[in-house]
Amino acid sequence: MKLKQLTILLTVILLVVILSACGETVSEIDEENRETARDEAVQTAEDFLTLLGEEEFEQAASLFNENPIREWTAEDFEDLFVPTAETYGGLAEIQLVEEEEGTSVFDFVFEGKFGVRTVLFYIGINRSNEVFNFRTNINPDLQFSDSTHEVAEAFLDFANEGEFEEAADLFDDNMELEITSEDIAADWRNFEEEYGAFTQFNLYEEQTFSSDYSLIYVGAFGEQLVLFNVYLNEDNEITGYYSRIYNEEEDYIYPEEAHQTADDFLTRIVEEDFEDAADLLSEEAETDTTPEDLERWRNNIEQEYGELVRFELDHEEDYYGPSAGNYAFVYEGEFTEQNAAVIVYVNQENEVSGYRHSDFEREE
């Protein structure tokens, strides 16, 4: 009897050891497969950008899967890249600066240079190693000019000299309704009272965002650095203004990053990765919203408008969020029965703070 019990015990121990070893092997294999998939996705993204840089637009378009978030043709790429290369020089280098892995997709952010001009490329690669999403802040219709810089710098000069009415006069009609000269004065005086007198400012970076120029200046109040983001339209009217303490240990949240967060959120909704989508919510939004709520939201939209096919940014609102501090991104969602507007709000901490949908006509 004792021998039988001992035999059973040894058998159980042997099975546990075997199963444990198998588990470790499977885990190691899964990790190895994940790394391989990630490396292949990076290579596909780099190949895609290389083809665009070499103006092989037909080949670049062929790397998209059958159901991309937005349709891109060779002509679209030509219209985007050729004028930019003619103005600033060809795409000289690309560098991976950020990446994120979801359950069915890799999202990459590359930084590229056309001569001295820095641009960003956002590329989504699916598990079949195909390009399914692409976006860039290149806008060939927007070319920075001396006048663009002069207006932005005049705005900062007026504020520094206490001429806040003159600074506000540089706003376009929409901005005049959202920010007053008193708002500019309060913003400026808060920095002076907290950190000391303003001494200087220098151009930090220039970008294009949607249909606006984005000029970012770094200024000094005492020993504290402050970032000023000034947006201008093609008529050199200021369409947005945002100031923020510069912290070397903290990445500055550019509107492009807020835009990417909104894209990521909707991408996960499209792919039914509701857990990952919920992870992008702010703490306040997460308190009221569960992954199940996001799933119900998608189901409600599809019951009303049909199956979701893809979405594309239509316009942005409230770049700096005059009171709540939110960016508002309005997408045109393509559904099988009727298009609809899908709006995603992103706060200054680059978190999704809200979302909603409506008939598209009411958002235009």
Side-chain angles (χ1 to χ4, degrees):
M1 187 68 176
K2 291 182 179 179
L3 180 60
K4 183 176 181 181
Q5 289 175 337
L6 180 60
T7 302
I8 293 173
L9 179 60
L10 290 173
T11 302
V12 170
I13 293 173
L14 181 61
L15 286 172
V16 170
V17 171
I18 292 173
L19 290 174
S20 177
C22 289
E24 290 176 359
T25 302
V26 169
S27 176
E28 291 172 358
I29 291 174
D30 287 346
E31 180 63 22
E32 183 179 345
N33 288 341
R34 192 199 69 79
E35 288 295 331
T36 299
R38 179 266 178 196
D39 292 343
E40 290 177 351
V42 170
Q43 187 61 56
T44 297
E46 290 177 348
D47 290 345
F48 174 71
L49 288 178
T50 298
L51 290 171
L52 291 176
E54 295 173 349
E55 300 188 1
E56 298 290 346
F57 303 126
E58 290 283 355
Q59 293 184 46
S62 70
L63 296 182
F64 274 89
N65 74 335
E66 294 181 356
N67 297 298
I69 288 179
R70 174 191 166 184
E71 293 284 358
W72 283 91
T73 66
E75 290 75 18
D76 292 331
F77 291 133
E78 183 175 358
D79 292 342
L80 196 66
F81 277 76
V82 171
T84 306
E86 290 176 349
T87 302
Y88 298 101
L91 182 60
E93 59 181 89
I94 55 173
Q95 179 181 2
L96 180 63
V97 295
E98 188 177 335
E99 61 182 275
E100 183 176 342
E101 180 183 358
T103 57
S104 60
V105 64
F106 294 95
D107 288 314
F108 301 114
V109 182
F110 287 85
E111 186 177 85
K113 288 187 179 295
F114 287 85
V116 297
R117 181 76 184 281
T118 299
V119 298
L120 296 175
F121 302 105
Y122 301 86
I123 303 174
I125 306 293
N126 63 21
R127 293 293 176 172
S128 299
N129 215 28
E130 302 166 320
V131 179
F132 85 98
N133 188 23
F134 172 69
R135 185 170 58 80
T136 177
N137 63 347
I138 297 174
N139 188 334
D141 296 328
L142 293 177
Q143 297 183 18
F144 290 91
S145 65
D146 291 341
S147 297
T148 308
H149 292 87
E150 287 170 2
V151 172
E153 291 167 14
F155 172 80
L156 296 177
D157 282 332
F158 281 137
N160 180 42
E161 294 164 3
E163 298 177 357
F164 303 112
E165 291 283 353
E166 289 79 358
D169 287 341
L170 298 174
F171 289 153
D172 73 345
D173 293 340
N174 291 328
M175 275 288 290
E176 287 179 354
L177 299 176
E178 296 172 350
I179 288 190
T180 66
S181 58
E182 289 78 11
D183 294 326
I184 305 170
D187 187 46
W188 205 267
R189 287 167 182 159
N190 285 339
F191 287 130
E192 290 182 326
E193 292 173 3
E194 183 75 18
Y195 303 108
F198 182 78
T199 55
Q200 62 179 348
F201 65 84
N202 296 291
L203 183 63
Y204 179 66
E205 188 170 350
E206 57 183 38
Q207 300 178 339
T208 53
F209 181 59
S210 181
S211 59
D212 284 352
Y213 304 93
S214 170
L215 295 174
I216 302 168
Y217 294 87
V218 59
F221 287 86
E223 296 183 357
Q224 176 62 57
L225 298 182
V226 175
L227 290 177
F228 298 101
N229 201 335
V230 183
Y231 299 90
L232 300 96
N233 60 23
E234 60 185 4
D235 296 322
N236 285 328
E237 299 171 320
I238 294 178
T239 59
Y241 162 67
Y242 176 64
S243 62
R244 184 179 190 276
I245 295 298
Y246 177 73
N247 185 342
E248 292 182 357
E249 297 179 356
E250 178 185 356
D251 289 336
Y252 177 64
I253 301 300
Y254 293 104
E256 281 294 339
E257 292 177 337
H259 190 164
Q260 183 63 37
T261 295
D263 271 10
D264 290 344
F265 178 74
L266 287 186
T267 297
R268 282 151 178 71
I269 297 296
V270 170
E271 296 172 347
E272 301 185 10
D273 291 338
F274 302 112
E275 291 279 353
D276 288 348
D279 288 341
L280 297 176
L281 295 171
S282 66
E283 185 176 349
E284 293 79 6
E286 193 174 6
T287 301
D288 299 326
T289 305
T290 66
E292 291 73 24
D293 293 327
L294 295 177
E295 183 175 5
R296 280 191 289 273
W297 179 53
R298 171 178 167 141
N299 291 339
N300 290 338
I301 296 175
E302 293 195 331
Q303 287 177 7
E304 189 171 356
Y305 300 103
E307 184 178 351
L308 177 60
V309 179
R310 63 174 60 88
F311 60 87
E312 181 176 352
L313 185 70
D314 182 69
H315 64 281
E316 305 86 9
E317 299 173 346
D318 304 332
Y319 292 110
Y320 51 88
S323 56
N326 287 313
Y327 304 98
F329 299 98
V330 183
Y331 294 84
E332 180 178 7
E334 180 183 344
F335 297 83
T336 53
E337 296 180 13
Q338 177 186 336
N339 286 8
V342 181
I343 303 93
V344 180
Y345 301 94
V346 179
N347 64 22
Q348 293 178 16
E349 284 70 45
N350 211 25
E351 303 165 324
V352 175
S353 54
Y355 58 90
R356 65 185 179 88
H357 70 279
S358 71
D359 291 345
F360 191 74
E361 290 75 17
R362 291 202 297 269
E363 296 297 327
E364 293 181 321

